Amino acid sequence: MPQTAPFSLLYVLAADDQLMFELKRLDVESDEPAKKYFWFHFNYHNNQLTPLTFSSMEEGETQRRAFAEGLLEFDTAQGTYTPPAPAEPVKLSVPPEPQLPLRAEAAVRDYFGWQ
């Protein structure tokens, strides 16, 4: 894999078995946010990367992101992801430095077709 990834991480929230994150593509020149900004869910059990379908956001002390796949609420230390019923909310933590595990980064590279 190349040393420099063509994206920057904006938000990373983690639980023992999953990861949610937003990235900004650095290889795309566009004024359309949907072409540059992406939210993903990564499952550690099966190494599955799922793109999240962004719906809306609210910024403030607590940030909120609504997706077709559920609601994410977070601040600078922790968060909660509430998937559609009947699933239980997932408690997430914000790591001190946003970083993807190698297998999650490999899944992102595969998703975008990067080598």
Side-chain angles (χ1 to χ4, degrees), residues 10 19 27 36 39 45-46 50 53-54 58 62 69 75 79-80 82 84-85 93 98 103 108 110 112:
L10 303 176
L19 187 68
D27 64 338
K36 292 173 73 170
W39 274 96
H45 294 297
N46 59 12
T50 304
T53 310
F54 182 81
E58 292 178 31
T62 298
E69 299 81 5
D75 58 25
T80 302
T82 307
S93 62
R103 58 187 173 160
V108 167
D110 209 33
F112 289 113

Side-chain angles (χ1 to χ4, degrees), residues 43-94:
N43 182 317
Y44 286 121
H45 294 297
N46 59 12
N47 291 329
Q48 181 176 350
L49 180 73
T50 304
L52 299 174
T53 310
F54 182 81
S55 180
S56 67
M57 68 185 264
E58 292 178 31
E59 293 187 305
E61 191 172 312
T62 298
Q63 305 231 14
R64 289 179 182 81
R65 302 293 187 275
F67 306 100
E69 299 81 5
L71 176 67
L72 176 64
E73 298 177 282
F74 61 98
D75 58 25
T76 58
Q78 61 189 358
T80 302
Y81 174 61
T82 307
E88 292 292 318
V90 177
K91 297 290 183 192
L92 304 160
S93 62
V94 176

